[in-house]
Amino acid sequence: MVVQAYILIQTEVGKAASVAEAIAGIAGVVLAEDVTGPYDVIARVEANTVDELGKLVIAKIQDVSGITRTLTCTVVHV
């Protein structure tokens, strides 16, 4: 079963659009959009395991220039 999550992202001022565009090109990112509210970008991601999800967030998404903070919200089916 695929692990899915929403990544809520805060960026430096004026960087939301460029961060969303950069993240959208990363393998495993299904969708990335700049939004209004307390977060600047929301990304929907998929990975084969929780460990792969963690590596995607830490090694790829958080490495994008302009990001100041992320919050990972894993999708659950109850």
Side-chain angles (χ1 to χ4, degrees):
M1 177 180 241
V2 173
V3 179
Q4 300 172 325
Y6 289 94
I7 312 299
L8 310 179
I9 302 164
Q10 293 178 333
T11 70
E12 296 171 1
V13 174
K15 300 285 185 173
S18 62
V19 166
E21 183 178 342
I23 289 172
I26 297 173
V29 175
V30 176
L31 179 68
E33 297 185 298
D34 43 327
V35 297
T36 60
Y39 294 93
D40 304 304
V41 176
I42 296 178
R44 171 86 180 218
V45 300
E46 292 182 348
N48 291 321
T49 66
V50 173
D51 288 341
E52 285 183 17
L53 176 68
K55 289 176 187 175
L56 171 64
V57 173
I58 293 168
K60 305 247 172 124
I61 292 176
Q62 289 182 350
D63 196 42
V64 171
S65 179
I67 292 178
T68 58
R69 180 175 294 185
T70 64
L71 175 65
T72 302
C73 303
T74 306
V75 174
V76 296
H77 302 281
V78 293

